[in-house]
Amino acid sequence: MDKETNQTLRHRFRGGDCGCRTLMDSVLVGVGGSAHSQWERAAAAPGSDDLPGSGPGSRSGPGPVRPRLTMEAWVRFSAQSQARERLLRAAQYACALAGAALNRAGNESGASSGTLSRLQHLEAHLSLGRKLLRLGGSAEALGSAQRSLHLPDPVLRFCLTLSHLNRALFLACDNVLWAGKTGILPGLDTDKWSQRSFRYYLFALVVNLSRDAYEIRVLLERAEAARKRGKSLENRPQLQADGRIQRFRLHLQLQLQLLLQVLRDNPPLLLDLLRNACDLVIPLEKLGLCRSSPGFVGFCGLTSSVLSILTILHPWLKLKP
Amino acid sequence: MKLKQLESSMSSGRKMLRLGNMVHALVAARRTAELPEVVPRFCLTASHLSRALYFVCDAVLWLRSVGLQPDIDKPKWHNWATKCYYYSLLINLARDWYEIFWRLEQAALEEKTRENCFWQKHDEELNGGKSDGLHGFLLQLFQVLKRNPPLLLDLVKNLCDLSGPLDTLGIYKTNPGVIGFCGILSSLVGILTLASPHLKLKQ
């Protein structure tokens, strides 16, 4: 991608939310650095109506247009309830992260506990509000599961259906938990239900990750075949000449290079992988399967939320189907 | 007690969801500022601006309820929010009234032309069918509303919404039951207009 298209793309993306802009820029630089004409085309041509800031006034230069653009982009963005949920999630984990940082600072210097309790209160509030927003989400997840039953690829069909079903169960538990927390079901064992919901969430994430692994494997095989076809004769003698360990190391190196290449060529896959990996930390921590600091959990939650906001802003970054 | 808790939790959750709506209202106000007709333009723009102010007050109240700004004077802000909401509703109602009036006038005009056309034929019939002032007016109003379901729904929704601020501002005291009923009715109408967009009143 040459510099000029990069510029116009950035200009196009400028309408995005203020918090995401820097991140968007860095992603654009990352994407733009390595010539992905397909993604560029995908961004420029068909889905361009979905991009914020690509309205009629988007090319009319900086200046007074800017606030108008941001406002309209915000309207378009926040009209989706999923986008709002993600924003609240980002805020929630940002609170967790800030609370953890404050806690650490407080341990060292004995800072005020008022701000900390305020942050915790806000976090609990955001969490409850998101639960309210997710009411009835399991029906939507069941619908997606039904839709993914008709996918042609058997592995994808299995993984996606299972993941959606798990998500539906997770959301159902979450709704029960909401009822318990708001006082509709006062005798509810919230701990048990939260464990249950996190278990389903964990299952869904593991299935999602295995789906990502499957996609990566398919792409790797394809890339390997292409590479073998390209230079079948060049590396052969060198490979045979070296010792066994040397050969193994070379092979590993090549695989790693190929993997990086594949991920760089497929930003949607990379984003999905990162998001799922980040999300995985949360249920692992909550279920007590792996102990990490609350700050780390907050960081992972924040990263995954920002990444999903990014996929909402730029639908071409979403992994299909 | 349980229901009270649920209501407060729902209310604060909705406040949170409304956090970004100020921008929506401002954008809508700017869009309506370009309408061709004077009265809808003025009414809608003023209503949207007032609604934007309401959202600002609402966001401040949310900040307080979450505990980020505990030293906010809650009754004052609540009063302000209700006032802004009240004005926005009043302006909306004025706009509804204008639309109804305009339609009534048009219906009357239509009738007059028809009357002129068939003056000789239906003279007696028309004289017999014409009823006295108020009754005829109500009949005509009913006819107009029946022919324009979006207008009727908008009117009902605004009237229902009005009961809340009227009570909070102390202008017209009702019991909580009426307010709850009006709230449910208005929400149902809102859901209905969302579900079938042709029932939404166009600007």
Side-chain angles (χ1 to χ4, degrees), chain A residues 98-154:
Chain A
L102 214 69
N103 207 3
R104 185 174 290 174
N107 281 344
E108 282 164 13
S109 60
S112 67
S113 64
T115 328
L116 192 63
S117 73
R118 219 179 277 176
L119 269 177
Q120 272 161 359
H121 189 78
L122 177 62
E123 193 196 330
H125 202 92
L126 285 168
S127 158
L128 200 61
R130 278 181 55 225
K131 283 202 198 323
L132 174 68
L133 201 57
R134 281 196 299 238
L135 277 182
S138 47
E140 191 243 347
L142 280 180
S144 320
Q146 204 179 19
R147 233 172 301 130
S148 59
L149 266 179
H150 304 294
L151 285 175
D153 189 325

Side-chain angles (χ1 to χ4, degrees), chain A residues 165-184:
Chain A
L165 283 180
N166 268 315
R167 203 158 57 88
L169 284 172
F170 156 67
L171 287 169
C173 290
D174 199 62
N175 292 347
V176 174
L177 202 59
W178 175 81
K181 283 199 174 165
T182 46
I184 303 176

Side-chain angles (χ1 to χ4, degrees), chain A residues 166-228:
Chain A
N166 268 315
R167 203 158 57 88
L169 284 172
F170 156 67
L171 287 169
C173 290
D174 199 62
N175 292 347
V176 174
L177 202 59
W178 175 81
K181 283 199 174 165
T182 46
I184 303 176
L185 304 170
L188 194 81
D189 187 356
T190 41
D191 276 342
K192 198 182 78 184
W193 278 95
S194 111
Q195 291 272 320
R196 211 172 270 177
S197 81
F198 277 121
R199 210 169 300 146
Y200 288 124
Y201 188 39
L202 181 65
F203 280 147
L205 284 176
V206 167
V207 175
N208 273 345
L209 275 174
S210 50
R211 179 254 166 122
D212 287 341
Y214 167 73
E215 296 252 358
I216 287 176
R217 224 199 77 198
V218 167
L219 286 173
L220 267 182
E221 268 171 9
R222 211 175 290 163
E224 186 115 31
R227 194 176 56 97
K228 267 191 187 141

Side-chain angles (χ1 to χ4, degrees), chain A residues 215-284:
Chain A
E215 296 252 358
I216 287 176
R217 224 199 77 198
V218 167
L219 286 173
L220 267 182
E221 268 171 9
R222 211 175 290 163
E224 186 115 31
R227 194 176 56 97
K228 267 191 187 141
R229 231 181 296 128
K231 37 181 179 180
S232 54
L233 298 171
E234 287 168 32
N235 283 351
R236 231 353 90 91
Q238 195 193 346
L239 262 174
Q240 277 166 353
D242 292 322
R244 177 172 283 223
I245 299 171
Q246 204 81 9
R247 204 163 60 187
F248 181 67
R249 197 194 278 169
L250 200 67
H251 180 73
L252 216 65
Q253 220 168 20
L254 272 177
Q255 282 288 323
L256 204 67
Q257 250 173 25
L258 215 58
L259 180 68
L260 285 180
Q261 178 82 39
V262 160
L263 285 180
R264 226 169 32 173
D265 282 342
N266 293 284
L269 187 56
L270 177 62
L271 275 186
D272 198 64
L273 186 65
L274 276 179
R275 205 156 59 93
N276 286 329
C278 283
D279 277 339
L280 197 64
V281 175
I282 298 162
L284 280 181

Side-chain angles (χ1 to χ4, degrees), chain A residues 72 78 84 118 121-122 183, chain B residues 2 17 20-21 24 30 66-67:
Chain A
E72 245 143 49
S78 65
R84 285 193 182 201
R118 219 179 277 176
H121 189 78
L122 177 62
Chain B
K2 224 191 276 180
L17 291 183
N21 278 359
H24 286 235
R30 214 186 38 220
V66 162

